[in-house]
Amino acid sequence: MGAFARQSGAVSEPDRMNISPLAGQPAPPAMLVNVPRLVTAYYTQVPDLAVAGQQVAFGTSGHRGSAFETSFNEWHVLAISQAICEYRARQGITGPLFLGIDTHALSIPACASALEVLAGNGVDVMLAQRDEYTPTPAISLAILTYNRGRSTGLADGIVITPSHNPPEDGGFKYNPPNGGPADAGVTGWIEARANTFLQGGLKGVNKIPYEKALRAATTHRYDYLGAYVNELDQMIDMAAIRGTKIHLGVDPLGGAGVHYWARIGEQYDLNLTLINAEVDPTFRFMSLDWDGRIRMDPSSPYAMQRLIGRQKDYDIAVACDTDHDRHGIVTPDAGLLPPNHYLAVAIDYLFQHRPAWSQMVGVGKTVVSSQIIDRVCARLGRKMVEVPVGFKWFADGLYHGTLGFCGEESAGASFLRRDGTVWTTDKDGLAPALLAAEIKARTGRDPGEIYRALAHEFGDPVADRVEAGATPAQKKMLANLSPQQVQSTELAGEKIRSVLTKAPGNGAAIGGLKVITDGGWFAARPSGTEDIYKIYAESFHGEDHLRRIVHEAQAIVDLALHAGASGA
């Protein structure tokens, strides 16, 4: 197996050598993506299915890739769009399809390609008024709003975004009628059908010219911005924020919510300062991430240097990623809160300040999220549902109102409306960001202060996420390990009390394994897009103990994979 490289989280000493010397610095002009060349590659490169990386492949957040690498091109979008049309027909989904885009350079051409196919198949498509960029949660909300009270003629949606990925990337996500990310059964069918179209040279793909598609009777306009902002006070106590004049600084990181924030501030009369309203597909205003690449990741202290540098200027400062389904929270004293810290704070606050929520409503977390969440839930007397990585696992719980708050360690979350009904079933970056201002307004303490109190009460864990090289065969073995293949009985000096390959909340395979002791844990799972596996680790005993967990984790995984290979 390969050596570790740091991905994100607290920096452990052995991993500092992997941090780029450019991390946190402005991008040199020579590093900026050449947008004309990128768009040209989108339209001219043809994928070769003999190359695995050029096939359609849905991960936890749709199909992603770069036109420069022939992994996200017009052919991919045409094929996926036709596959979605056929999936809709098979499922009897006859309502409108809500289509939105983020601010990546490939999103506009991909939207044009998708519309050509959707119109060619007679699908009613809802495009944004004034061609506005559209956050992921606005698409989810639109789907749920349309489907409310309906049992037939249901709507679904597509979000064209690679999330926080670098500027040269493109992405394509499908949301079925429940409004959340499609599950593996759905994406597996779409992926296979799309690759069949690629293999056949796009034979069977029905499309019409773009200008004709725009004028088609099936192409409509929808006010995503107004529909989302008008209902935000059903989620957030805007009156409390307005009444206390909380000074809220917002950096959209050049993403799809750039015009949403100005409207929110104006409509709800908030003391809101839009720090940057610039949209530039090169994202030249970003500071470089840990590996020297541009990413619009609001959980990365390197990517968030601009906002962190102004943390004293605002009562609360927030940012979202490019499709605004992730949040970053910055406070005057704590700076950028690690995602797990804010998830714990949000849960602790919401379940004490949402009296209309049923006492039966629980909390959803992924297997790689902090155990401090478990401890907060135990004190609150709330059921905790632990699921594999991927927000799709939360969609039903949010839809039916059985889960009040759902969150991922990668800074993705959503929660119920104040009356206990569903808001979105996909991640929403804006609502958790605004919740930070509500917390400050109603408690007099910002999320950083509240987390310190939680850490005093439950212990202060430290966490890291690292990655190591793995062959495709090793990745496959890791995804299919059994607990019996873990031969170790101790981890970092503590007795291993459980080894999981299935999530305790729903029994679904986690695609790897999780090893737990009383004072810490690690989880290892293969990457869906690279020849690596990722290790997530946490310790309640400090940085030295965390480093031991991380290094022993690789040995445990290596031994388990060796045992698996020997037994094959």
Side-chain angles (χ1 to χ4, degrees):
M1 305 290 280
F4 284 135
R6 182 178 176 277
Q7 179 70 15
S8 67
V11 181
S12 298
E13 195 66 39
D15 300 311
R16 291 188 189 277
M17 67 184 68
N18 297 301
I19 305 299
S20 167
L22 295 176
Q25 302 299 314
M31 289 186 62
L32 300 179
V33 65
N34 185 316
V35 173
R37 289 184 181 274
L38 182 68
V39 174
T40 299
Y42 172 83
Y43 283 111
T44 59
Q45 300 281 18
V46 176
D48 178 358
L49 289 195
V51 180
Q54 296 183 22
Q55 299 173 12
V56 171
F58 276 78
T60 56
S61 295
H63 172 75
R64 297 181 184 178
S66 172
F68 287 144
E69 298 173 358
T70 324
S71 51
F72 188 91
N73 292 83
E74 183 182 31
W75 276 47
H76 296 103
V77 175
L78 295 174
I80 296 170
S81 299
Q82 183 64 42
I84 288 173
C85 290
E86 295 189 3
Y87 174 80
R88 298 179 96 243
R90 288 168 60 95
Q91 299 297 315
I93 301 170
T94 57
L97 184 144
F98 291 90
L99 177 61
I101 65 171
D102 76 357
T103 54
H104 276 80
L106 292 179
S107 294
I108 291 177
C111 184
S113 301
L115 183 62
E116 290 178 340
V117 174
L118 295 168
N121 284 269
V123 175
D124 282 290
V125 178
M126 311 299 281
L127 296 177
Q129 286 185 0
R130 300 175 296 279
D131 294 318
E132 182 66 71
Y133 300 112
T134 309
T136 286
I139 295 290
S140 181
L141 178 64
I143 295 169
L144 294 174
T145 298
Y146 183 87
N147 290 341
R148 190 177 298 136
R150 298 177 187 267
S151 57
T152 60
L154 299 178
D156 54 2
I158 291 171
V159 192
I160 299 177
T161 174
S163 188
H164 61 290
N165 276 28
E168 62 269 22
D169 283 8
F172 207 89
K173 300 193 300 183
Y174 175 65
N175 286 35
N178 72 357
D183 64 32
V186 176
T187 58
W189 190 93
I190 293 171
E191 175 185 303
R193 187 63 178 142
N195 282 321
T196 298
F197 286 127
L198 293 182
Q199 190 70 50
L202 298 181
K203 182 179 180 180
V205 173
N206 302 316
K207 72 187 188 79
I208 62 177
Y210 178 62
E211 287 300 323
K212 186 176 179 181
L214 277 178
R215 297 192 303 269
T218 52
T219 299
H220 315 277
R221 294 289 174 171
Y222 183 81
D223 184 11
Y224 291 100
L225 192 158
Y228 182 91
V229 175
N230 289 344
E231 296 196 24
L232 261 179
D233 60 350
Q234 297 182 29
M235 284 292 289
I236 305 296
D237 188 347
M238 294 296 193
I241 302 173
R242 179 171 59 250
T244 51
K245 301 188 185 304
I246 297 295
H247 191 190
L248 181 63
V250 178
D251 190 342
L253 302 182
V258 61
H259 298 142
Y260 283 59
W261 287 108
R263 175 77 169 269
I264 290 167
E266 177 183 350
Q267 184 162 325
Y268 294 104
D269 192 24
L270 305 183
N271 184 15
L272 186 154
T273 299
L274 194 61
I275 296 168
N276 174 39
E278 185 177 2
V279 174
D280 180 342
T282 69
F283 294 91
R284 66 180 68 242
F285 43 77
M286 292 296 302
S287 52
L288 298 176
D289 204 2
W290 68 275
D291 58 354
R293 300 187 70 190
I294 296 175
R295 287 189 190 87
M296 289 58 71
D297 182 355
S299 68
S300 166
Y302 303 102
M304 288 279 281
Q305 277 300 300
R306 179 174 57 191
L307 198 56
I308 294 171
R310 300 188 61 180
Q311 67 189 63
K312 299 290 187 181
D313 296 345
Y314 307 99
D315 297 309
I316 299 287
V318 300
C320 292
D321 68 336
T322 324
D323 68 318
H324 270 49
D325 71 347
R326 300 188 188 196
H327 59 270
I329 311 298
V330 175
T331 69
D333 293 327
L336 177 65
L337 269 65
N340 276 316
H341 293 194
Y342 184 59
L343 295 183
V345 170
I347 292 165
D348 184 60
Y349 172 83
L350 283 168
F351 284 89
Q352 297 182 72
H353 292 83
R354 292 296 186 266
W357 288 11
S358 165
Q359 288 298 311
M360 303 302 294
V361 169
V363 174
K365 62 165 270 193
T366 62
V367 292
V368 296
S369 299
S370 176
Q371 280 191 347
I372 198 169
I373 294 172
D374 306 47
R375 301 180 184 192
V376 169
C377 289
R379 194 246 286 140
L380 292 169
R382 297 287 180 160
K383 178 182 179 181
M384 191 197 68
V385 179
E386 189 171 352
V387 301
V389 173
F391 211 78
K392 62 189 176 186
W393 300 106
F394 298 133
D396 284 344
L398 288 167
Y399 184 83
H400 295 292
T402 58
L403 294 177
F405 180 96
C406 297
E408 298 181 313
E409 59 80 36
S410 55
S414 189
F415 49 97
L416 299 178
R417 297 172 191 248
R418 293 161 72 185
D419 67 0
T421 60
V422 64
W423 170 246
T424 64
T425 48
D426 209 332
K427 298 189 290 288
D428 184 342
L430 295 95
L434 287 163
L435 181 67
E438 179 190 324
I439 291 171
K440 172 69 174 178
R442 294 193 64 182
T443 69
R445 297 184 298 167
D446 67 45
E449 295 173 286
I450 294 176
Y451 181 78
R452 285 197 297 272
L454 292 178
H456 180 75
E457 180 179 0
F458 297 116
D460 190 7
V462 289
D464 205 354
R465 185 177 75 185
V466 297
E467 57 191 34
T471 67
Q474 289 172 326
K475 288 169 58 181
K476 185 176 181 179
M477 278 193 291
L478 177 57
N480 293 287
L481 284 176
S482 68
Q484 292 71 31
Q485 288 170 254
V486 175
Q487 301 176 8
S488 303
T489 59
E490 288 192 350
L491 174 65
E494 294 188 321
K495 182 179 179 181
I496 292 174
R497 60 180 176 86
S498 60
V499 178
L500 306 176
T501 56
K502 294 184 178 180
N506 61 359
I510 62 178
L513 80 162
K514 182 176 182 179
V515 177
I516 305 169
T517 69
D518 287 332
W521 59 270
F522 81 84
R525 55 187 299 271
S527 168
T529 56
E530 300 175 82
D531 286 337
I532 59 172
Y533 75 89
K534 298 177 182 180
I535 287 181
Y536 305 77
E538 181 175 65
S539 170
F540 279 81
H541 300 320
E543 288 283 353
D544 290 342
H545 188 247
L546 175 66
R547 287 197 290 271
R548 287 187 62 187
I549 290 177
V550 168
H551 288 292
E552 290 183 26
Q554 189 177 29
I556 289 173
V557 172
D558 284 350
L559 192 61
L561 291 176
H562 178 75
S566 300

